[in-house]
Amino acid sequence: MRIPANAVCTAIRDDIVSGVFEPGGRLTEEVLARRYGVSRVPVREALRTLEAEGFVTTRRHAGACVAEPTDQEAADLLELRALLEPLAAAKAARRRTEGHLKVLRGLVRLGQERARSGRGEDLRALGGWFHETLGQASASPGLISVLTQTRHKIAWMYVVRAPARPVDSWAEHGAIVDAVARGDAERARALTALHADRAAGSHRLRVRNPQPVVNTASGRH
């Protein structure tokens, strides 16, 4: 049975995000095909997709390599997320289903219980599921796709510290869901923007790769 390229793409992306393949490392089709037990055809297709997403770059004489994002590119990602997540929340307030609300409320309830009891080991995963579900509730495929790529890249580039006060963080999640449930798009947008701004401070770059500074000043004549 032929394994689809999107499954191979997911596997390679996960390995890049988790650090199995380090920035700048070569990605040869033959080695990847052996690793995932597939032919080179889906690997080639997957690498093209990952290059379009920004995880892979093609170098002359080296072929496909893991991209090496700069500090500025990493900072831009947090800014992009801070714009996209409030937009998704506003759309969710207008388009969410009862099913979305049920899942969001369940995640908030579980997150608040874990935070109050000091069991923080699951909070990061619960927070990820919360924001993924909130994005799905926007019912905007294009927005969901960009948000998903942005979150993958942030997970790749940053180490995220646990919030100092997880109870407060999950109270913010609960307030966002209340606004979405009421259909209050502007409040959902504002609360999500505030939440994203606070969360940005807990991110620390995994690998520093500053953009080289080019001296363009003219010499003395």
Side-chain angles (χ1 to χ4, degrees), residues 77-99:
L77 279 176
L78 292 182
E79 186 175 355
L80 179 61
R81 188 183 67 176
L83 294 172
L84 295 178
E85 287 192 339
L87 175 62
K91 290 185 178 297
R94 302 186 185 100
R95 301 175 179 176
R96 89 293 184 281
T97 66
E98 288 303 314

Side-chain angles (χ1 to χ4, degrees), residues 16-176:
I16 290 174
V17 170
S18 66
V20 172
F21 302 129
E22 296 183 352
R26 290 190 63 191
L27 297 168
T28 61
E29 292 179 7
E30 183 179 357
V31 171
L32 293 174
R34 285 202 305 268
R35 176 177 176 83
Y36 304 113
V38 298
S39 72
R40 294 174 65 168
V41 174
V43 169
R44 191 174 304 124
E45 294 176 19
L47 290 175
R48 283 198 293 265
T49 298
L50 291 169
E51 184 169 17
E53 292 180 358
F55 288 97
V56 170
T57 186
T58 300
R59 295 176 179 170
R60 189 176 183 183
H61 305 309
C65 301
V66 179
E68 298 178 89
T70 65
D71 290 3
Q72 185 59 64
E73 289 170 332
D76 287 347
L77 279 176
L78 292 182
E79 186 175 355
L80 179 61
R81 188 183 67 176
L83 294 172
L84 295 178
E85 287 192 339
L87 175 62
K91 290 185 178 297
R94 302 186 185 100
R95 301 175 179 176
R96 89 293 184 281
T97 66
E98 288 303 314
H100 290 130
L101 286 179
K102 183 177 181 180
V103 173
L104 287 168
R105 284 171 171 153
L107 288 169
V108 167
R109 183 168 57 252
L110 191 56
Q112 289 176 337
E113 290 173 356
R114 293 282 197 276
R116 284 194 297 267
S117 65
R119 292 179 294 164
E121 62 275 6
D122 297 332
L123 290 180
R124 183 174 299 176
L126 289 172
W129 293 334
F130 174 88
H131 287 287
E132 182 177 347
T133 304
L134 187 63
Q136 293 289 337
S138 73
S140 175
L143 178 57
I144 293 167
S145 176
V146 175
L147 265 172
T148 300
Q149 286 187 33
T150 301
R151 292 192 188 109
H152 282 317
K153 289 181 180 178
I154 288 173
W156 172 37
M157 297 181 195
Y158 286 95
V159 174
V160 183
R161 297 188 303 272
R165 295 180 58 85
V167 172
D168 292 347
S169 178
W170 280 94
E172 292 173 6
H173 286 135
I176 292 168

